[in-house]
Amino acid sequence: MRRSRLVLVATLLAVVLSALLLGSGGRAARSAPPGFPTGSITLTMFGSDEAPGFHVEERLIAEWQQLHPNVTVQAQQTPLGPGFQKLSTQLPSGGGPTLFAVFEPWIEGFVPYMVPAIPAAFGLASMRQIYDLYLPHSLDAQSRGGAIYCLPNSAPAWSLLVNKPLFTAASLRIPEDIPRTWAQVAALQKKLTKYDANGQLVRRGFGIRYTAGPQWYAMLFVATVESQGARVLDRDGTPLLTSPAAANAMRVFQENAVAPTITKDVQTSPYQDFADGLDVMSYGGANAVSFAIRLNPDLKGNVYVSQLPSLSGKPGGSPKYSFDYCVNKNASAAEQFAAWSLIDYITSHGVVRFMNTGSITPRKNVFEAPEVKSTPFIEVFKNELIYAQRLPQTRHWGQLQAAIQNGVQKVVFKNVPVPQALQEMQQEYLQAIGK
Amino acid sequence: MRRRWLGPTQPWWGAAFTAPVLVLLVCFKFWPMSYAAWLSLTNASLTDRARRFIGVSNYVRLSHDTTFIGALETTARYVGATIAVSMVLGLALAVLINQKVPARGVFRTLLFLPAVVPLIVVPILWQFLFHPYGLVNNALKALGLHPVNWLLSPQGAVGALVVATAWRLTPLCMVIYLAGLQSIPGELYEAAKVDGAGAVRRFQSITLPMLKPTLLVVVVFAITLTVQNFVLALVMTGGGPDNASTTLSLFVYQTGFLGFQMGYASAAALVMLLIIVAFTVVSLRAFRIEE
């Protein structure tokens, strides 16, 4: 009698535990996929560059290790810059961590040292089934020849962030007066920009980040060109930087430059001016709002998010990029399998990352979670992801970004005419790649 | 016989004691330098495992590369100004704190503090100080001068790098000078005083000549440190605006690690090395001491 009761309790516990595991997110939460390697395995990992993201990883790694007690994971938080330098030297020489996080433009350079996703590690039968876990086109940049080489842990596309109190204080209405085109942004600059009695800038309508790293305007330039149906590089990699579309993109910077030298935005704190209330409008991904609120808690509930302006007013003015997990080709087969299983586990728990960091993982199950669905403006962020322009896949992204940076700086800081700046930009890029 | 073989006068002791350092030098200095020299003759790229010998093509390309030539000019201005400021200011401070004044140890510690600030903190700190509405411009305004657009104008960016680098380098120069000053026999100054020599004359006729070996150390040290330094330019200005503050070391970093062109970057690094060697040789000749 007692024994049968024990069996009943054990069965009930097993059912409840299974239900909990199944309900907690992606496929990876269920159990170890068949074929998971046995024996002792050690995975080394270069993780996220920011503390909140890395804490999420540590938590998910600990959960995953409970499912795979034969695996030890040695993860370290890795700032992007130093991480890039280490990978640049370690991977070509046959070293490097088992799995590592990269910034999307690096994929083309590092792809020779990566191993494609192993569907069996996801408990799936084919690569196609991995694609099906994600939003349409969200793995374009991570794919080569139909194979997935990396999976995004965070995929920002930019939206327009508006400081509601400052916007409405200028007698502007939300959402009626929210700009949808860059021309409308330029028109609002005059209305929102203010100087104090000493002539010092105290408020600016919209600020472009010139001191927080070239990516903040190089990617905006690329997306503005591509939103017109044009390209910055042709299929052979030849630059198309003097096109009419490029000129239109450059004028966005020219017409929206308001006291561009007055800024406290730095690489480690790119949303500082928005958080300080210097910029009434700014731009960034879903994580930008939580980042700005961390800097200035008064912004909580006071940020309105809208589609990033474009030249035409249609969606698609934003660049799409990502921070991705990849697996080292130099790792053993068992390590590669385990590493992809871990990546599957972490990315299938995108909801945890979103709730803790505000970063969106473009995996479908994230957008189906009730806590994400109820997040303000989540549809805006999702829409941006779908329509945003992906970055050109080139081994020369560093040179392209530097050339665009210098071209924009010529126009904004040195008042060089747009056609001349574009011509010099084109020349600089060709020179930098040795053509 | 056995004791003699192990005796302290045996010549092989010298080799035994220098061998570990020599091994370290070969592994971590000479081998990487030789490898870089080899890479500079190839089309090595981080994105392509195959590499080809291309002779001096990278050097020919450098001679036409306007960004590289601009970086050379910027480096000359940056290094020249930084060394001038650091050496003069370092000497002045060393002479000052070599005097017998109360709380001399406290002054020495305070003046040396910038040298022990972590390198990455320096550019971030100065970014805030050089903000258009920051302390530096406020000080300029208080003196009746026009504020400067430090970080985002071609002239201001290099000036800002010079100030930030000199802030860190000056205390290091000061300490080396101080060691040199303390090795000058006090009797020389006393004899000069008896002969009626004033402070300026004593400085010109005793301090400067006696400091010649120290000056050589300071010059070589300052040139090497300044030419190689790229963290400040990377963080403070990113080499901008429009490459105005791209120094040679930053060019090497950007070409190698952002552009993946390791062969080309190695050629630029070799040119940088040759420049440092050339300046060191010139300094050695300029400060040569007659035995």
Side-chain angles (χ1 to χ4, degrees):
Chain A
M1 186 63 184
R2 187 181 283 175
R3 194 177 170 191
S4 63
R5 199 174 284 170
L6 271 173
V7 170
L8 184 70
V9 170
T11 313
L12 273 171
L13 266 174
V15 169
V16 170
L17 275 173
S18 306
L20 279 173
L21 283 172
L22 276 174
S24 66
R27 301 178 57 89
R30 292 173 198 166
S31 62
F36 193 91
T38 52
S40 179
I41 296 171
T42 300
L43 302 181
T44 50
M45 175 178 178
F46 282 0
S48 288
D49 65 326
E50 287 174 5
F54 185 66
H55 292 327
V56 170
E57 279 166 3
E58 281 183 314
R59 181 179 142 190
L60 294 173
I61 288 168
E63 287 176 18
W64 181 81
Q65 277 186 287
Q66 284 180 349
L67 295 171
H68 306 285
N70 63 323
V71 185
T72 306
V73 183
Q74 295 170 349
Q76 57 174 286
Q77 185 183 338
T78 313
L80 277 179
F84 179 82
Q85 288 169 36
K86 286 177 187 169
L87 292 172
S88 299
T89 47
Q90 290 174 349
L91 294 177
S93 56
T98 322
L99 62 152
F100 47 91
V102 299
F103 181 38
E104 190 185 294
W106 307 349
I107 293 176
E108 185 66 16
F110 289 146
V111 82
Y113 315 111
M114 296 173 186
V115 67
I118 303 166
F122 294 67
L124 298 172
S126 69
M127 201 67 87
R128 184 70 260 158
Q129 287 179 303
I130 303 178
Y131 280 110
D132 290 341
L133 297 172
Y134 284 82
L135 291 179
H137 302 295
S138 59
L139 299 182
D140 287 355
Q142 292 77 4
S143 302
R144 300 287 183 284
I148 298 163
Y149 279 82
C150 306
L151 280 181
N153 63 53
S154 166
W158 296 338
S159 302
L160 181 72
L161 315 177
V162 182
N163 183 319
K164 284 200 284 190
L166 297 180
F167 193 81
T168 51
S171 307
L172 293 167
R173 297 159 303 160
I174 295 175
E176 293 86 345
D177 296 322
I178 296 290
R180 295 186 74 80
T181 66
W182 285 115
Q184 289 168 346
V185 175
L188 282 180
Q189 291 278 37
K190 288 170 197 151
K191 195 155 190 173
L192 290 166
T193 300
K194 282 183 183 167
Y195 292 87
D196 68 9
N198 299 319
Q200 294 199 346
L201 182 81
V202 289
R203 192 139 301 140
R204 176 171 48 211
F206 183 88
I208 293 173
R209 295 183 196 100
Y210 292 105
T211 51
Q215 71 275 16
W216 288 108
Y217 45 113
M219 294 201 294
L220 188 60
F221 179 90
V222 170
T224 309
V225 170
E226 293 187 345
S227 69
Q228 301 168 71
R231 289 279 172 269
V232 288
L233 300 176
D234 71 9
R235 283 180 185 280
D236 302 327
T238 307
L240 306 167
L241 299 170
T242 54
S243 68
N248 293 336
M250 192 61 95
R251 281 190 201 98
V252 168
F253 294 92
Q254 190 180 39
E255 288 162 11
N256 281 287
V258 174
T261 61
I262 311 299
T263 176
K264 284 184 180 167
D265 288 341
V266 288
Q267 198 128 20
T268 45
S269 187
Y271 308 106
Q272 195 66 50
D273 288 347
F274 182 68
D276 290 348
L278 180 70
D279 292 345
V280 180
M281 294 182 286
S282 188
Y283 58 109
N287 61 334
V289 180
S290 54
F291 197 119
I293 290 171
R294 279 207 298 277
L295 294 172
N296 177 10
D298 290 345
L299 281 176
K300 193 164 189 177
N302 283 322
V303 178
Y304 182 83
V305 181
S306 173
Q307 174 200 302
L308 190 77
S310 62
L311 285 170
S312 66
K314 291 179 187 162
S318 163
K320 174 164 58 181
Y321 60 102
S322 57
F323 299 91
D324 306 81
Y325 295 123
C326 319
V327 176
N328 194 334
K329 201 176 184 176
N330 302 316
S332 70
E335 289 166 351
Q336 291 174 3
F337 193 101
W340 275 116
S341 169
L342 174 60
I343 291 173
D344 176 40
Y345 190 86
I346 295 177
T347 52
S348 69
H349 288 75
V351 179
V352 181
R353 184 179 287 273
F354 180 74
M355 298 313 291
N356 285 278
T357 66
S359 296
I360 290 183
T361 306
R363 202 154 161 154
K364 284 176 187 165
N365 70 339
V366 173
F367 298 94
E368 289 156 9
E371 56 268 58
V372 176
K373 273 185 178 171
S374 62
T375 303
F377 310 111
I378 192 66
E379 282 306 312
V380 178
F381 295 125
K382 188 179 171 185
N383 222 35
E384 295 281 20
L385 267 176
I386 292 169
Y387 290 102
Q389 313 291 336
R390 72 170 198 162
L391 300 176
Q393 292 303 296
T394 168
R395 291 181 180 191
H396 302 302
W397 171 254
Q399 291 93 331
L400 181 63
Q401 186 171 252
I404 295 172
Q405 166 183 268
N406 291 330
V408 172
Q409 288 183 342
K410 281 186 177 93
V411 171
V412 173
F413 298 117
K414 294 164 84 177
N415 294 319
V416 171
V418 169
Q420 184 189 332
L422 293 174
Q423 195 64 45
E424 290 176 12
M425 198 158 100
Q426 173 106 348
Q427 287 306 318
E428 187 179 329
Y429 176 70
L430 287 169
Q431 180 177 265
I433 63 170
K435 285 193 177 172
Chain B
M1 191 66 185
R2 185 178 171 83
R3 280 174 70 189
R4 204 177 296 159
W5 187 75
L6 281 170
T9 53
Q10 288 295 336
W12 63 265
W13 277 114
F17 281 118
T18 50
V21 178
L22 269 176
V23 169
L24 286 176
L25 276 174
V26 168
C27 290
F28 297 106
K29 284 271 180 196
F30 302 134
W31 160 244
M33 277 165 66
S34 314
Y35 189 61
W38 157 247
L39 279 183
S40 74
L41 303 174
T42 70
N43 65 346
S45 161
L46 284 177
T47 58
D48 192 357
R49 287 189 191 206
R51 64 183 57 143
R52 201 163 41 85
F53 178 79
I54 54 169
V56 292
S57 297
N58 282 327
Y59 293 94
V60 174
R61 186 179 153 197
L62 278 176
S63 68
H64 301 304
D65 189 331
T66 51
T67 309
F68 173 75
I69 293 164
L72 272 178
E73 289 168 6
T74 304
T75 306
R77 281 190 291 136
Y78 165 62
V79 173
T82 305
I83 289 175
V85 171
S86 305
M87 286 189 65
V88 172
L89 212 57
L91 182 58
L93 289 173
V95 170
L96 267 179
I97 61 169
N98 195 37
Q99 309 300 314
K100 284 175 185 157
V101 289
R104 190 165 63 163
V106 176
F107 284 120
R108 285 179 180 177
T109 309
L110 287 176
L111 286 169
F112 192 67
L113 269 183
V116 294
V117 171
L119 187 56
I120 191 61
V121 175
V122 177
I124 295 172
L125 174 77
W126 281 97
Q127 260 183 318
F128 287 110
L129 292 174
F130 282 128
H131 185 274
Y133 303 153
L135 275 177
V136 175
N137 273 352
N138 284 347
L140 289 177
K141 273 193 233 170
L143 294 170
L145 301 168
H146 284 291
V148 176
N149 175 11
W150 287 102
L151 300 175
L152 291 166
S153 71
Q155 301 79 13
V158 177
L161 289 180
V162 169
V163 173
T165 314
W167 180 76
R168 195 178 154 81
L169 187 61
T170 301
L172 293 170
C173 296
M174 179 192 80
V175 167
I176 303 172
Y177 280 131
L178 197 57
L181 285 173
Q182 288 176 350
S183 67
I184 301 174
E187 296 84 25
L188 293 177
Y189 290 107
E190 282 160 24
K193 265 187 197 170
V194 171
D195 289 345
V200 175
R201 184 61 197 264
R202 289 200 299 272
F203 181 77
Q204 281 178 341
S205 304
I206 301 173
T207 310
L208 276 183
M210 296 296 281
L211 269 185
K212 235 180 168 185
T214 314
L215 281 170
L216 173 65
V217 174
V218 172
V219 168
V220 174
F221 172 76
I223 288 174
T224 312
L225 224 70
T226 317
V227 173
Q228 288 180 342
N229 178 19
F230 80 102
V231 175
L232 263 68
L234 179 71
V235 180
M236 277 174 71
T237 64
D242 189 17
N243 283 334
S245 59
T246 298
T247 57
L248 209 45
S249 50
L250 188 61
F251 176 86
V252 171
Y253 168 77
Q254 288 172 335
T255 308
F257 292 107
L258 299 182
F260 299 121
Q261 301 173 82
M262 294 311 281
Y264 192 48
S266 298
L270 256 288
V271 172
M272 194 168 92
L273 173 74
L274 289 177
I275 289 171
I276 293 175
V277 170
F279 272 105
T280 307
V281 170
V282 170
S283 306
L284 280 170
R285 293 185 71 85
F287 295 102
R288 191 171 49 195
I289 307 159
E290 300 301 336
E291 293 295 334

